[in-house]
Amino acid sequence: MTAELYYFSGTGKSLVVARDIANTIGAKLISIPTVMNRESVETDADILGIVSPTYYMRLPRIVESFIGKLINLDSKYVFGIVTVGGIAGGVLDQLSDAINRRGGILGAGFVVRMPANYIHDADALPVFLQKRMFRKWEQRVNEITDFVLDGKTGRMDKSSRLMTLVFSHGIDGKYSRGEFSPRIDENFWTDDRCNGCGICAMVCPVSNIVTVDAWPVWQHHCEKCLSCIQWCPKEAIQFRKVTLKRRRYHHPKVGLADMLKRSIGED
Ligand SMILES: Cc1cc2nc3c(=O)[nH]c(=O)nc-3n(C[C@H](O)[C@H](O)[C@H](O)COP(=O)(O)O)c2cc1C
């Protein structure tokens, strides 16, 4: 039995989840941006996994486009994992519909809670809470991999209805006000700590940053993954004024080298 695991990750949590699963089931790990220059994506693997963060209770645009490229899914076991900071909402339904449109079936969908990275909305969690979530994830890896390796179906994790109801109004409001538009990057800027190292351009998984005279310039096809802001070694990138005093965060088990491997067109 062969397996391939496609992932998208801004700050490393979906990467860690994908890597832990791939290592346990012996799957090939593939960064979604690296295959986006293909017209279609076909795999010979029997098992296909997709791991993604959740943005505004939806899939990142790039993950939806990637699924639109998949072909010949009908005979495969497909599973999905979304990482969340709090509320998944309908993201697994969206994933399932997208797979259906490609002729496949989402056999199982899992929601994995991780420390939230949305520095534009809230500060990073205290480290002891982050560690607790990482431990919980480590305890869950085998549950998911056993389910997948047994080829079981019918499991679709759900967010609490009450929590979804409470938060969806605000989240949908932000979505419809354009907080997730590709031009949201007009709100990024650098303060005087920027030393022109160019790491922001290198870690952007969708090549949305170019450096002009050493200054980052955002190109308006932003996924809002926050990789640039969270990986800047000088903490010099800001989003509006709200990030000036907030702590930066990325997964401790992910280094810069891991981030650089996952960019667009490096297939
Ligand atoms: C723009 C944006 C929107 C987000 N929206 C949600 C959301 O609606 N619900 C949620 O639970 N987490 C949300 N998050 C948190 C991420 O889904 C979560 O932190 C995820 O684990 C990040 O994965 P990564 O480290 O692989 O990028 C959002 C994060 C960002 C950057």
Side-chain angles (χ1 to χ4, degrees):
M1 194 114 78
T2 54
E4 283 186 355
L5 205 50
Y6 289 86
Y7 75 93
F8 178 70
S9 181
T11 55
K13 283 159 287 172
S14 308
L15 168 57
V16 166
V17 167
R19 198 166 60 188
D20 287 350
I21 298 283
N23 287 342
T24 316
I25 67 175
K28 187 173 173 199
L29 190 60
I30 302 159
S31 164
I32 287 176
T34 64
V35 297
M36 289 307 285
N37 50 9
R38 297 189 198 162
E39 217 158 273
S40 60
V41 178
E42 185 171 17
T43 163
D44 292 331
D46 309 295
I47 301 176
L48 176 78
I50 298 169
V51 182
S52 168
T54 303
Y55 295 161
Y56 298 99
M57 300 196 299
R58 293 162 173 84
L59 291 173
R61 271 185 306 276
I62 189 171
V63 175
E64 207 178 6
S65 315
F66 160 73
I67 296 168
K69 289 177 185 278
L70 288 170
I71 53 172
N72 295 339
L73 288 183
D74 46 352
S75 58
K76 299 193 188 308
Y77 177 84
V78 184
F79 72 98
I81 304 178
V82 290
T83 64
V84 298
I87 304 289
V91 64
L92 281 179
D93 295 327
Q94 186 192 358
L95 179 60
S96 172
D97 290 347
I99 300 282
N100 284 159
R101 283 197 293 277
R102 305 309 298 164
I105 293 173
L106 185 67
F110 304 92
V111 175
V112 173
R113 187 137 188 250
M114 283 282 177
N117 64 348
Y118 35 60
I119 190 170
H120 54 282
D121 273 341
D123 208 346
L125 282 182
V127 172
F128 79 95
L129 285 178
Q130 295 186 16
K131 286 189 175 159
R132 190 183 295 171
M133 286 185 184
F134 297 146
R135 275 199 301 276
K136 272 198 176 169
W137 162 244
E138 279 159 17
Q139 289 156 5
R140 265 194 89 188
V141 178
N142 288 343
E143 173 210 327
I144 295 180
T145 52
D146 288 352
F147 197 94
V148 166
L149 288 175
D150 287 347
K152 288 191 197 160
T153 56
R155 160 97 184 247
M156 216 52 78
D157 287 351
K158 298 265 178 236
S159 294
S160 134
R161 271 202 204 172
L162 181 65
M163 294 282 277
T164 306
L165 205 68
V166 170
F167 286 101
S168 60
H169 182 67
I171 292 176
D172 285 345
K174 284 182 183 171
Y175 181 81
S176 47
R177 283 196 299 277
E179 281 293 315
F180 190 35
S181 101
R183 294 193 76 92
I184 194 68
D185 58 6
E186 287 168 353
N187 296 284
F188 287 116
W189 54 282
T190 48
D191 63 32
D192 54 15
R193 288 171 293 181
C194 176
N195 63 1
C197 69
I199 286 177
C200 50
M202 289 187 262
V203 295
C204 176
V206 294
S207 305
N208 185 44
I209 302 176
V210 294
T211 46
V212 178
D213 296 331
W215 290 100
V217 180
W218 283 263
Q219 301 295 302
H220 313 318
H221 52 92
C222 181
E223 289 284 340
K224 207 177 181 185
C225 74
L226 304 182
S227 196
C228 52
I229 195 164
Q230 298 283 18
W231 281 92
C232 170
K234 296 290 175 193
E235 304 193 358
I237 298 179
Q238 309 295 342
F239 183 80
R240 300 189 181 118
K241 285 189 180 162
V242 292
T243 54
L244 282 166
K245 292 203 172 124
R246 289 187 181 155
R247 283 163 298 173
R248 275 37 180 176
Y249 166 85
H250 51 78
H251 196 291
K253 279 195 184 163
V254 172
L256 196 53
D258 299 304
M259 289 290 105
L260 299 180
K261 273 190 232 151
R262 77 206 200 297
S263 299
I264 227 156
E266 290 181 6
D267 195 8

